Amino acid sequence: MKQNRSIYYRYSRNAVLAGMIASLLLTSPALTGGHTASAAGRQIDRMISRIDEKTDTGLVRSHFETADGDGYCDPVADTTRPSKLKKTPDLPTRYDLREHNLTTSIKDQGATGCCWAFSAIKVIESNCIKNGLFDAGSTDFSESHLAWYSYHPATSPSDPTYNDGILSATVSSSSSFPDPFAYGSAKGTIAYDNGGSAILANFTLAKWCGAEYESTAPFTGANSEQIASMAYNMQINTDLRYDSYAHLQNVYNFDEYTLSDQYYYTDSSIIPKMKQAILDYGAMSTSLYYDKAYLHTSASGSAYYQNHYAGAQAVKQANHSVTIVGWDDNFAASDFSRTPPGNGAWLIANSYGTSSGDTGYFWLSYYDQSICDCSSFLMESSSNYDNIYQYDGFGWGTANYSNSADLKAANIFKAESTSNQKLRAVSFYTLTNNQPYQIEVYRNIKSGPTDGIRINSCTTEGTAAQNGYHTVTLNTPVTLDAGERFSVVVTYRQKASGKIYVPLEGRDSSDSSLSICYGSRLGESFLFTKLSSKSSDSTIHWLDTAALGYHNVCVKAFADDTTDPSDPLPSVTKTITLGRGETFQLPQGYTYTSNDSSLATVNASGKVKTHRKGKTTILASDADGTSGSLYRFVIKKAPSGVKIKPAKKTIKKGKHLKLKVKLSSGSASRRITFRSSRPGVARVSKTGRITARRKGSTTIRVKTYNGHTASMKLTVIR
């Protein structure tokens, strides 16, 4: 059972960002304040308070502010390796996602404060359509699911994120663990009224908590009675937590900051970035100060520009989340009720139904200074990985920082005991732009994070161009034995200037209506530091974050189930059967030579593609030219059809089933994909192994590399 501690935060994102200089050894931690220590007894903490502001519309707006009054917005964003955003030399002067069928219909948040959830869901719906994951006409994810599970953490002690997150309830005087349904007469309804932000949606989705279908968890919030009924339905359907039909991979945030805490989007370096992201990834979430008195109807449509608040004050007053679905550089300044400095506006989808604005849309001036929290969400199919390893059930609420040295963070995980694993990707957060990083993996861990075997071939480096959430594919996958302890080490490299941060889960604060809880155990998460170079002791230290009171490092790992006991090793011969036109990925880090390129070719990264029927070999060599593995390829015809057995099956919750796939006679396909229509009911691994999770029904689909499909109906009983 995870050690349980209750920590209280004001609203949804109150926190303290604690500074710790990496070259100093931390001792004598003060759990509710800063950490002080060094051999010289110097103060090394610099407290940066998270300031939250909640308005009547329900948005919680967060930013950091230093003792000197400097500040910057809640960072929420990312890039993948390679980390540079896509760029084109020319951007259109006008663009509308509606004209390209890349956004979903207008919805209505009703009597709730869920604007942030509606904005985030519309963004991920748009990205899923853009990526071809779902059709525009059928993409409809649940805002209720996102809002509910953002305010109700896992309550099962077996869950790795047990008790980590926001609880929408007061704390009972007789218990350290709050009752999630004890608040108010309409139990649990505060989850729909307490507000949030893009970063809160980021934290929830990153846990594989959503996206759920609207039909499974419908949003009904037109009045207090409907809200109470919606909360009750979520309360009794407790197994919906990890229903996910698309997984969050990355989040890009485009807020720009200045030393004087001013936020302007008229800067040419910002608006083009936002436009390019909309072109590349679909709709973008944003927040603003919204007052209908500034909404003006003109011949060009509903237009919004407020000049009551300016600069940092405008951002602090932001009270509503909406969605950017396009722009028009020539939208006339004269079409606003108050004239902005120039032309140009964002096309905004609101969440007040089609009766608001221009059938639910309005134009927002580029020059409105309250625009903030501009975030793009990048999604992938929920079949991308079989397993997630994580401890940070809430997300980051504090950070360790350094001005002068690299920082290291590590999590030790235990692989699932039911099958061997292929560790393929790692995710983490960065709090500043252009952050260099390195990812390392160690196997057979005994105690500390590096007390094992370093897998050199998988070490991955890059630079995160935007602050936020990052999922990075490892250079090569790492084989993990069932039940094996392994570690993921992320190094945050020093930049040319400015601080670097390691995001962590934890910090104490309190409020009368909400609580944020964290639980961590010794031996899970670690920070790396050493004494000052001026000290006689320059010993390197891995410090357990649970002992320091910091709680968990915000690093996750993603793996697939596999039937392969290990990666190919030098001098090993392996026979692989493929279909014509099929591709296959060999381990990276070797030089490959194909015996007959007319049958199969292999590129520098080890990707094999077959061209015609026959048999051939591909030889792998080390960097020094020493011969390594020999791969024999048998190439058959491509499948003309596929069948799956059984066609219909009933199994009990918690049981497993291995699918049998039959291809057309004489054909082959190694790259077969499996997908469950409801992974919350039953999950299917990349090898076709089904795990029944809860009562219900689902459809398991199989697909060959050349597009042939089959399906089976699966019913799970208790």
Side-chain angles (χ1 to χ4, degrees):
M1 177 181 288
K2 292 189 75 172
Q3 177 184 346
N4 177 41
R5 301 178 184 175
S6 295
I7 301 177
Y8 313 99
Y9 276 45
R10 180 171 178 81
Y11 302 121
S12 71
R13 287 295 302 135
N14 237 342
V16 178
L17 187 64
M20 177 182 80
I21 301 175
S23 63
L24 301 178
L25 175 64
L26 298 181
T27 60
S28 307
L31 295 181
T32 60
H35 289 71
T36 61
S38 80
R42 291 178 295 175
Q43 173 85 23
I44 65 171
D45 262 355
R46 184 181 183 190
M47 306 306 294
I48 303 176
S49 300
R50 305 248 2 225
I51 299 176
D52 295 332
E53 302 186 13
K54 180 177 183 296
T55 69
D56 293 337
T57 60
L59 176 76
V60 175
R61 173 77 190 112
S62 307
H63 74 285
F64 297 114
E65 186 168 308
T66 68
D68 300 326
D70 297 332
Y72 54 93
C73 278
D74 245 1
V76 189
D78 168 60
T79 183
T80 56
R81 182 180 60 87
S83 59
K84 294 183 178 180
L85 299 177
K86 300 177 184 179
K87 294 182 179 180
T88 58
D90 299 306
L91 290 165
T93 60
R94 182 186 177 279
Y95 185 72
D96 188 338
L97 287 171
R98 297 174 299 179
E99 297 174 357
H100 301 274
N101 207 26
L102 293 175
T103 185
T104 52
S105 61
I106 293 294
K107 297 182 180 180
D108 193 345
Q109 68 184 78
T112 72
C114 286
C115 58
W116 65 278
F118 277 79
S119 177
I121 290 295
K122 184 173 284 292
V123 169
I124 68 174
E125 289 173 342
S126 178
N127 185 254
C128 285
I129 298 170
K130 180 76 173 178
N131 288 346
L133 299 180
F134 298 92
D135 296 329
S138 60
T139 305
D140 190 6
F141 293 131
S142 171
E143 295 84 8
S144 175
H145 187 277
L146 176 60
W148 180 263
Y149 286 112
S150 292
Y151 282 92
H152 292 87
T155 55
S156 171
S158 62
D159 195 304
T161 67
Y162 169 59
N163 200 26
D164 289 355
I166 307 172
L167 287 145
S168 56
T170 56
V171 179
S172 170
S173 59
S174 61
S175 174
S176 61
F177 188 83
D179 177 1
F181 310 102
Y183 187 87
S185 58
K187 296 183 178 181
T189 60
I190 194 173
Y192 301 111
D193 193 48
N194 201 63
S197 63
I199 194 172
L200 181 58
N202 179 173
F203 292 165
T204 302
L205 293 166
K207 293 184 292 186
W208 287 6
C209 187
E212 174 63 275
Y213 286 142
E214 176 73 16
S215 57
T216 302
F219 189 93
T220 54
N223 51 56
S224 59
E225 290 77 15
Q226 287 191 10
I227 298 171
S229 177
M230 180 168 55
Y232 177 75
N233 288 333
M234 294 301 300
Q235 178 184 351
I236 63 177
N237 292 302
T238 57
D239 294 334
L240 295 178
R241 178 178 300 277
Y242 293 114
D243 270 13
S244 302
Y245 297 91
H247 284 161
L248 180 68
Q249 293 297 109
N250 304 290
V251 180
Y252 293 86
N253 178 271
F254 298 93
D255 284 359
E256 291 281 272
Y257 324 118
T258 68
L259 293 177
S260 59
D261 200 11
Q262 305 298 305
Y263 303 72
Y264 298 100
Y265 289 91
T266 54
D267 189 299
S268 60
S269 67
I270 303 171
I271 290 181
K273 279 186 175 182
M274 295 170 62
K275 290 178 177 178
Q276 190 63 58
I278 294 169
L279 286 173
D280 293 337
Y281 312 119
M284 178 180 292
S285 178
T286 191
S287 301
L288 76 159
Y289 172 73
Y290 187 76
D291 184 336
K292 287 196 299 183
Y294 295 92
L295 191 64
H296 176 65
T297 301
S298 69
S300 302
S302 294
Y304 187 92
Y305 169 68
Q306 67 82 29
N307 57 0
H308 181 73
Y309 295 107
Q313 188 62 25
V315 172
K316 293 178 181 180
Q317 294 299 318
N319 61 8
H320 188 46
S321 289
V322 293
T323 311
I324 303 176
V325 296
W327 67 83
D328 186 350
D329 292 346
N330 298 316
F331 193 95
S334 58
D335 284 338
F336 297 91
S337 60
R338 295 160 178 81
T339 304
N343 296 339
W346 301 109
L347 178 60
I348 301 297
N350 212 341
S351 54
Y352 293 150
T354 55
S355 61
S356 170
D358 186 4
T359 64
Y361 298 89
F362 66 90
W363 293 93
L364 174 63
S365 171
Y366 290 158
Y367 294 85
D368 191 311
Q369 295 182 30
S370 68
I371 303 172
C372 57
D373 292 333
C374 300
S375 303
S376 294
F377 285 51
L378 280 64
M379 311 297 293
E380 283 192 6
S381 169
S382 58
S383 63
N384 56 351
Y385 306 110
D386 294 328
N387 302 283
I388 182 172
Y389 294 94
Q390 58 182 338
Y391 297 128
D392 53 315
F394 173 61
W396 66 270
T398 187
N400 161 239
Y401 77 70
S402 173
N403 289 307
S404 59
D406 294 350
L407 294 178
K408 292 179 181 286
N411 275 343
I412 296 177
F413 300 108
K414 184 178 181 181
E416 287 194 358
S417 59
T418 56
S419 66
N420 294 325
Q421 306 269 303
K422 289 282 190 181
L423 181 67
R424 298 192 181 276
V426 169
S427 73
F428 55 94
Y429 297 88
T430 59
L431 307 189
T432 60
N433 295 343
N434 300 313
Q435 175 61 64
Y437 63 83
Q438 180 190 66
I439 301 170
E440 301 168 279
V441 176
Y442 292 79
R443 292 186 59 187
N444 300 117
I445 295 297
K446 306 302 180 185
S447 56
T450 56
D451 182 19
I453 302 171
R454 185 178 187 267
I455 310 301
N456 295 327
S457 62
C458 82
T459 300
T460 304
E461 297 185 345
T463 299
Q466 298 287 138
N467 65 82
Y469 180 69
H470 317 252
T471 302
V472 178
T473 302
L474 299 175
N475 279 335
T476 60
V478 178
T479 298
L480 304 171
D481 294 333
E484 176 183 359
R485 281 162 51 86
F486 68 98
S487 70
V488 176
V489 180
V490 178
T491 300
Y492 295 77
R493 301 284 193 199
Q494 272 296 315
K495 303 184 293 182
S497 62
K499 291 183 175 68
I500 59 171
Y501 297 88
V502 176
L504 303 159
E505 190 182 50
R507 263 308 166 182
D508 296 358
S509 186
S510 64
D511 183 77
S512 60
S513 62
L514 294 175
S515 62
I516 290 183
C517 299
Y518 300 96
S520 60
R521 296 177 297 188
L522 294 172
E524 289 181 343
S525 286
F526 298 83
L527 289 172
F528 176 88
T529 189
K530 62 180 179 179
L531 291 175
S532 169
S533 58
K534 298 180 180 180
S535 172
S536 60
D537 183 3
S538 59
T539 304
I540 304 281
H541 298 268
W542 278 108
L543 303 177
D544 195 308
T545 59
L548 294 172
Y550 274 123
H551 304 281
N552 296 308
V553 170
C554 298
V555 172
K556 306 178 192 285
F558 305 91
D560 290 332
D561 298 332
T562 179
T563 57
D564 297 333
S566 63
D567 288 324
L569 299 173
S571 303
V572 169
T573 300
K574 192 171 185 178
T575 300
I576 300 169
T577 302
L578 301 175
R580 181 180 178 183
E582 189 172 4
T583 60
F584 183 80
Q585 182 62 57
L586 294 172
Q588 296 179 337
Y590 297 92
T591 299
Y592 292 99
T593 305
S594 176
N595 183 55
D596 189 343
S597 57
S598 69
L599 291 170
T601 53
V602 57
N603 64 16
S605 61
K607 186 176 183 179
V608 178
K609 185 173 183 180
T610 63
H611 302 290
R612 63 185 179 91
K613 293 170 57 178
K615 297 180 179 180
T616 188
T617 59
I618 292 178
L619 181 67
S621 302
D622 294 329
D624 60 2
T626 303
S627 296
S629 301
L630 179 68
Y631 299 91
R632 295 193 178 104
F633 285 89
V634 178
I635 307 167
K636 298 185 177 182
K637 63 182 183 181
S640 59
V642 60
K643 295 182 180 179
I644 185 172
K645 293 183 179 182
K648 187 182 293 183
K649 184 72 173 180
T650 299
I651 63 174
K652 291 184 177 182
K653 176 184 176 182
K655 297 297 184 180
H656 303 280
L657 175 67
K658 179 65 174 163
L659 294 176
K660 296 180 180 180
V661 178
K662 184 177 181 180
L663 303 175
S664 56
S665 179
S667 67
S669 177
R670 190 179 181 94
R671 188 159 56 89
I672 298 175
T673 58
F674 301 88
R675 182 174 180 177
S676 172
S677 66
R678 299 193 67 191
V681 173
R683 187 185 72 186
V684 58
S685 74
K686 291 190 175 184
T687 61
R689 185 174 185 265
I690 294 173
T691 302
R693 305 177 70 180
R694 65 176 173 86
K695 183 180 178 181
S697 59
T698 184
T699 300
I700 307 297
R701 293 184 174 86
V702 59
K703 184 177 182 180
T704 65
Y705 70 92
N706 60 338
H708 294 285
T709 62
S711 64
M712 69 168 287
K713 299 292 185 181
L714 181 70
T715 302
V716 179
I717 60 177
R718 296 190 183 277

